[in-house]
């Protein structure tokens, strides 16, 4: 600090001794030292901080792969069946490309590659490798072995591009159910479309309600029946009556989900959810159940069905005339149209509409499957409509509509919404009461009677107490009226009738009778035997034990305890 | 005194620097190892996925059905062939001949000595460790009712 009041012309050191200069030098040196210390400190601090930064962040930088791996497709979760069996999955597929600028010798490279790429001629390879582009495709989707071999050639400029592809291990078998997706990982059909958002957002496999074994058995038997009777198409669905879980869904013809474009539009129609049919007599149990539930009839009530019935300007006939009076048991057992119409007359149009609406037959099913059919309901619901709808004509519905409604008839009286996703154990099942438990009991007995004493005998499987109803719908003519010989033959079954677990519905479109069926193409002759075989095959998978198992086992034990006729099992 | 402290601090700083370098180096090494392991896990997972897909394809039911139809004399199971476990009559062990598939059949005549019997894989895996499986093991340990029941097995549909 300069002293105040100093003369301008006088120097600072004027009048000061040697000590003054010494003090000045010392203070300057201290100042320099301080500045140096600060700089050195800052320097080391920054080096230290950078060191710490590099040490901690080191991992982020170590991932420097040299192979270009581009992932084109979006993430898409696996689809598995209810037991965890794989139904659809993305797999990594490697494709081979090249950067021609990095290729040293196109001809030599092409010659080496030629040993492993059989689809491309050497000339094509040379042309592509010698082009002046930055990237050329050589072969899409090479096998792991090709990948390994070509990688080991060590050719410069080769690029392996990883892509994802959706694989459906069970191919056609589940094409309508699981559906398919495109190369961009977007669902296009079936549950791949219906569950698209879920599949793209979850990492966990999506568990369907389907059982692969049941699916296979259903498809196997349906395609056999379709072939045997020369039918145009077939459809079938297996459902748990208590939970509404769809265990199997088959619509034939089906297609290859890996190449869906190769099939025409008809192959794409899912007849079980997207088709709408006048199903015929399989609807009769609904009419009978409503009349029973409202106390309008009892099972033992007698009906006279000997004469054709005139309703407004329509005449109702039976397939086979029944001359003597019959009970309600036989109205169902012999599938009498006249008897059913008489019962529908007791119900009336309003009551019938209310009941069928309650069974969800007027609305699209609230299912995960896209393209669910809207039932075709007549605009004018008069006495004629009431009469024909009571036996399944004049109201179109999808097979899944009918399966769900029939499940409600036999499961204690609850309508359960069908679903394609597995219900968690203990989860609340959305359901509503449509008929009383007592009516449901009666319906089980009556449907069992159809199989033991009526038109459904061909569906019986000893031990599983099959109950069911045949259906033979005539296909409507485009101009009105019906074709007499173009039939939709069907069968709806449930088992075991004492405590039903499963409902099976199967349909053949325009089957032709054979010598073995006496040329009959009706549901009882064509579809019922197939349904019997389906039930025999799927019951163990569905966890249904033969009801006479205990009895047979006891008999076996009694026989074996006398020891006289010990039997040896044949070797395998 | 101050000089000594300064020297001490310098040495400490140097040692800290060496220590930090060592830690950093070790962590880099560990990081690379982690990366390599992650890569390996990823590869293995991809391989597992491919194998699981192969497995699913080879287990395609219609494929298996075709194989069974062509190579095995098997039919669809009839309901009469299903019995409950409890309903099976107990069978003495020495009348069971183990087969290759692990199932066993009643085929040996009564009274045959157990000395020349093969011990089936099913016993080694299900019943007791091999060391204890000698002829001295009483059959009653395996099937408590063995001594009281005549050795018979019959097809269920005979009843």
């Amino acid at each position: 600090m300069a002293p105040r009041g100093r003369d301008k012309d006088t120097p600072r050191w004027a009048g000061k001794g040697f000590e003054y200069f010494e003090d000045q030098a010392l203070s300057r040196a201290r100042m320099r030292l301080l500045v140096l210390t600060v700089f050195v400190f800052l320097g080391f601090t920054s080096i230290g901080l950078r060191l710490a930064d590099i040490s901690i962040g080191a991992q982020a930088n170590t991932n420097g792969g040299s192979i270009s791996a581009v992932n084109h497709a979006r993430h898409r979760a696996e689809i598995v069946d209810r037991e965890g069996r794989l139904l659809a999955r993305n797999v990594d597929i490697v494709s081979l490309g090249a950067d021609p600028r990095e290729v040293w010798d196109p001809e030599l490279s092409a010659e080496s590659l030629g040993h492993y790429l059989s689809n491309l001629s050497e000339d094509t390879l040379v042309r592509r490798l010698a082009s002046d582009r930055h990237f050329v495709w050589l072969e899409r989707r090479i096998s792991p072995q090709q990948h390994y071999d070509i990688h080991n050639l060590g050719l410069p400029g080769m690029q392996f591009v990883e892509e994802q592809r959706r694989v459906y291990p069970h191919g056609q078998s589940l094409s309508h159910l699981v559906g398919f997706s495109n190369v961009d990982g977007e669902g296009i059909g079936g549950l791949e479309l219906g569950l698209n958002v879920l599949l793209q957002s979850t990492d966990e496999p999506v568990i369907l309600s389907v059982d692969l074994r049941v699916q296979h058995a259903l498809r196997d038997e349906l395609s056999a029946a379709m072939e045997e009777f020369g039918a145009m198409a077939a459809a079938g669905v297996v459902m748990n009556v208590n939970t509404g879980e769809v265990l199997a869904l088959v619509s034939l013809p089906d297609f290859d989900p890996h190449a869906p474009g190769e099939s025409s539009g008809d192959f794409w129609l899912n007849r079980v959810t997207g088709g709408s049919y006048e199903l015929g007599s399989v609807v009769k149990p609904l009419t009978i159940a409503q009349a029973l539930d409202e106390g309008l009839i009892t099972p033992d009530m007698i009906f006279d069905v000997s004469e054709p019935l005139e309703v407004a300007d329509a005449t109702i006939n039976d397939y086979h005339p029944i001359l003597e009076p019959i009970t309600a048991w036989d109205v169902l057992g012999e599938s009498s149209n006249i008897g059913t119409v008489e019962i529908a007359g007791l119900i009336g149009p309003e009551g019938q509409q209310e009941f069928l609406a309650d069974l969800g037959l007027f609305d699209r099913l609230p299912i995960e499957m896209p393209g669910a059919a809207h039932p075709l309901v007549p605009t004018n619901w008069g006495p004629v409509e009431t009469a024909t709808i009571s036996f399944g004509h004049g109201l179109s519905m999808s097979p899944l509509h009918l399966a769900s409604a029939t499940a409600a008839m036999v499961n204690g009286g609850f309508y359960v919404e069908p679903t394609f996703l597995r219900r968690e154990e203990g989860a609340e099942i959305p359901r509503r009461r449509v008929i009383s438990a007592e009516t449901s009991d009666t319906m089980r007995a009556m449907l069992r009677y159809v199989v033991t004493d009526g038109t459904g005998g061909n569906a019986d499987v000893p031990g599983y107490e099959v109950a069911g109803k045949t259906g033979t719908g005539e296909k409507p003519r485009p101009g009105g009226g019906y074709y007499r010989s173009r039939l939709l033959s069907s069968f709806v079954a449930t088992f075991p009738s004492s405590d039903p677990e499963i409902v099976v519905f199967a349909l053949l479109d325009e089957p032709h009778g054979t010598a073995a069926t006496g040329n009959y193409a009706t549901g009882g002759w064509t579809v019922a035997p197939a349904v019997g075989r389906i039930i025999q095959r799927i019951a163990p998978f569905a966890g249904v034990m033969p009801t006479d198992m205990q009895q047979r086992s006891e008999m076996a034990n009694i026989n074996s305890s006398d020891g006289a006729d010990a039997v040896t099992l044949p070797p395998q | 005194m101050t000089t000594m402290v300064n020297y001490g601090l310098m040495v400490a700083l140097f040692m800290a620097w060496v220590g930090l370098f060592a830690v950093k180096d070790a962590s880099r090494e560990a990081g690379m190892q982690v990366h390599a392991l992650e890569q390996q896990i990823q590869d293995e997972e991809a391989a597992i996925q491919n194998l699981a897909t192969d497995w699913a394809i080879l287990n395609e039911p219609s494929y298996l059905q075709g194989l069974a139809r062509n190579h095995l004399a098997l039919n669809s199971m009839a309901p009469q062939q299903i019995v409950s476990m409890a309903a099976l009559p107990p069978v003495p062990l020495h009348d069971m001949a183990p087969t290759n598939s692990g199932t066993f059949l009643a085929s040996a005549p009564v009274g045959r000595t157990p000395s020349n019997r093969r011990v089936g894989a099913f016993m080694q895996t299900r019943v007791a460790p091999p060391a204890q499986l000698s002829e001295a093991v009483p059959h009653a340990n395996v099937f408590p009712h063995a001594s009281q029941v005549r050795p018979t097995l019959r097809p269920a549909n005979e009843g």
Side-chain angles (χ1 to χ4, degrees):
Chain A
M1 287 288 126
R4 286 179 181 235
R6 180 166 56 84
D7 192 330
K8 268 184 190 172
D9 303 324
T10 320
R12 276 183 200 170
W13 58 87
K16 295 197 169 125
F18 176 74
E19 293 81 7
Y20 174 79
F21 293 99
E22 202 181 45
D23 277 2
Q24 280 282 310
L26 262 176
S27 99
R28 257 182 221 161
R30 277 202 197 103
M31 199 61 184
R32 282 182 195 140
L33 206 62
L34 189 69
V35 169
L36 199 68
T37 311
V38 166
F39 272 107
V40 167
F41 179 75
L42 283 176
F44 270 102
T45 310
S46 64
I47 288 172
L49 284 174
R50 178 75 186 121
L51 207 60
D53 180 46
I54 290 172
S55 303
I56 292 164
Q59 277 143 313
N61 248 347
T62 52
N63 189 2
S66 58
I67 295 172
S68 66
V70 189
N71 212 340
H72 289 305
R74 265 205 229 182
H75 164 78
R76 204 167 170 78
E78 284 174 19
I79 301 178
V80 298
D81 86 340
R82 61 184 303 117
E83 307 279 344
R85 299 183 196 92
L86 187 66
L87 304 183
R89 163 186 281 157
N90 280 7
V91 294
D92 290 327
I93 303 273
V94 176
S95 292
L96 179 66
D99 183 349
R101 295 171 306 168
E102 290 181 18
V103 174
W104 291 351
D105 185 340
E107 277 164 30
L108 206 63
S109 297
E111 198 194 324
S112 309
L113 286 172
H115 295 298
Y116 303 106
L117 303 175
S118 48
N119 290 347
L120 290 169
S121 74
E122 217 162 285
D123 293 341
T124 319
L125 280 172
V126 172
R127 208 171 55 244
R128 288 194 193 171
L129 290 173
S131 76
D132 53 1
R133 288 157 64 190
H134 293 191
F135 182 81
V136 288
W137 283 115
L138 296 181
E139 181 85 309
R140 305 298 288 262
R141 292 187 204 123
I142 57 175
S143 71
Q145 186 63 45
Q146 284 176 312
H147 182 193
Y148 179 81
D149 290 336
I150 293 168
H151 183 263
N152 281 2
L153 286 176
L155 295 172
M158 294 297 122
Q159 293 189 349
F160 296 102
V161 182
E162 277 180 22
E163 291 177 290
Q164 296 240 306
R165 192 175 179 226
R166 198 76 165 158
V167 169
Y168 303 94
H170 305 289
Q172 305 221 161
S173 175
L174 285 128
S175 51
H176 285 292
L177 189 83
V178 172
F180 56 98
S181 62
N182 65 10
V183 286
D184 298 322
E186 295 285 341
I188 299 296
L191 292 176
E192 286 269 38
L193 174 59
L195 301 172
N196 196 32
V197 177
L198 176 66
L199 285 164
Q200 286 179 346
S201 58
T202 178
D203 284 331
E204 296 295 307
V206 172
I207 305 169
L208 303 187
S209 58
V210 177
D211 187 314
L212 180 63
R213 301 166 300 181
V214 177
Q215 174 78 12
H216 169 69
L218 179 64
R219 182 169 183 273
D220 199 41
E221 293 298 342
L222 272 185
S223 48
M226 196 172 134
E227 194 174 324
E228 183 181 356
F229 300 108
M232 274 170 50
V237 61
V238 178
M239 204 174 116
N240 183 313
V241 296
N242 297 313
T243 64
E245 291 169 298
V246 175
L247 297 177
L249 179 152
V250 170
S251 175
L252 295 170
D254 46 23
F255 57 90
D256 181 0
H258 298 110
E262 287 168 18
S263 310
S264 64
D266 188 46
F267 285 72
W268 285 23
L269 173 64
N270 181 343
R271 290 175 162 77
V272 176
T273 59
S276 201
Y277 306 99
E278 298 184 31
L279 291 170
S281 305
V282 284
V283 175
K284 281 176 188 163
L286 309 182
T287 307
I288 308 264
Q290 185 186 7
L292 285 169
D293 201 52
E294 293 176 5
L296 302 171
I297 61 166
T298 62
D300 298 319
M301 197 180 257
I302 306 285
F303 296 88
D304 178 11
V305 296
S306 54
E307 298 288 323
L309 202 63
E310 305 285 335
V311 179
D313 54 351
T315 309
I316 311 294
N317 277 303
D318 274 342
Y319 196 72
H320 298 294
I322 303 164
L323 297 176
E324 66 269 30
I326 54 173
T327 61
W329 293 92
D330 284 311
V331 169
L332 204 59
E334 299 303 319
S335 199
S336 164
N337 291 343
I338 299 169
T340 311
V341 171
E342 284 175 15
I343 292 169
L346 302 173
I347 297 168
E350 288 80 21
Q352 188 184 36
Q353 285 182 57
E354 225 169 86
F355 184 69
L356 296 181
D358 207 17
L359 286 171
L361 300 183
F362 289 3
D363 299 305
R364 227 176 235 268
L365 285 171
I367 47 177
E368 300 86 358
M369 188 70 80
H374 206 293
L376 299 177
V377 184
T379 43
N380 175 27
W381 198 301
V384 179
E385 283 74 21
T386 300
T388 58
I389 286 169
S390 75
F391 59 87
H393 282 80
L395 174 66
S396 293
M397 62 183 90
S398 72
L400 191 57
H401 272 105
L402 185 91
S404 311
T406 307
M409 300 298 105
V410 298
N411 68 1
F414 296 100
Y415 180 82
V416 186
E417 281 179 8
T419 180
F420 290 91
L421 293 175
R422 190 178 75 175
R423 291 200 200 277
E424 292 308 316
E425 221 157 294
E428 199 178 325
I429 294 161
R431 61 179 199 176
R432 58 173 186 269
R433 182 166 284 288
V434 287
I435 55 172
S436 70
E438 294 75 39
T439 308
S440 180
D441 285 345
T442 313
M443 284 314 295
R444 290 205 288 258
M446 291 181 85
L447 289 172
R448 175 71 183 143
Y449 179 80
V450 174
V451 173
T452 53
D453 293 89
T455 53
N458 285 329
D460 200 18
V461 184
Y464 290 130
E465 295 179 0
V466 179
K469 181 72 192 80
T470 54
T472 309
E474 288 167 5
K475 289 174 84 169
R477 258 179 224 275
Y482 292 88
Y483 293 106
R484 299 298 295 174
S485 58
R486 290 198 186 175
L487 303 179
L488 277 176
S489 298
S490 60
F491 195 82
V492 62
T494 184
F495 70 96
S497 67
S498 50
D499 184 17
E501 283 282 332
I502 305 291
V503 61
V504 180
F505 177 74
L507 169 80
L508 285 179
D509 191 349
E510 293 191 27
H512 300 91
T514 64
T517 67
N519 284 327
Y520 282 117
T522 55
W525 284 103
T526 55
V527 189
V531 169
R533 287 192 296 272
I534 291 165
I535 288 174
Q536 176 167 335
R537 286 176 71 168
I538 69 175
F541 305 145
V544 178
M545 290 293 148
T547 46
D548 59 346
M549 184 173 78
Q550 196 58 38
Q551 193 187 346
R552 280 187 291 106
S553 304
E554 277 161 16
M555 281 172 68
N557 270 353
I558 291 164
N559 284 347
S560 66
S561 63
D562 63 21
D565 54 347
V567 177
T568 303
L569 285 175
Q572 282 189 316
Chain B
M1 182 63 196
T2 323
T3 326
M4 287 296 289
V5 170
N6 279 341
Y7 279 132
L9 281 175
M10 273 175 70
V11 170
L13 192 66
F14 182 74
M15 284 171 68
W17 177 73
V18 169
L20 191 62
F21 182 79
V23 167
K24 187 236 156 183
D25 198 52
S27 84
R28 190 183 59 88
E29 200 105 303
M32 283 168 67
Q33 218 171 336
V34 165
H35 175 67
L37 283 173
E38 275 171 352
Q39 185 64 48
Q40 201 184 341
I41 289 170
Q42 209 180 328
D43 290 351
E44 297 289 347
E45 274 173 357
I48 289 170
Q49 279 212 347
N50 285 343
L51 289 172
T53 312
D54 276 353
W55 174 256
I57 290 168
L58 292 174
N59 273 294
E60 215 277 294
S62 50
Y63 173 67
L64 292 183
Q65 182 172 319
L67 287 180
R69 193 166 279 164
N70 294 336
H71 301 289
L72 303 171
L74 292 178
N75 270 322
S76 290
M77 189 162 60
Q80 293 77 27
Q81 291 171 295
I82 303 172
V83 292
S84 69
M85 205 64 183
L88 284 174
V91 177
L93 182 65
H94 64 259
D95 286 302
M96 292 179 185
T99 64
N100 292 337
S101 58
T103 57
F104 42 87
L105 305 167
S107 58
V110 184
R112 188 170 158 186
T113 53
S115 57
N116 54 357
R117 306 210 64 78
R118 274 191 303 138
V119 175
F122 72 97
M123 292 188 66
Q124 295 176 5
T125 52
R126 290 187 198 164
V127 181
Q132 294 174 23
L133 266 184
S134 69
E135 293 159 22
V137 175
H139 297 141
N141 282 0
V142 185
F143 293 103
H145 306 297
S147 58
Q148 295 140 39
V149 182
R150 297 283 300 276
T152 52
L153 253 188
R154 54 174 54 247
N157 55 8
E158 285 285 312

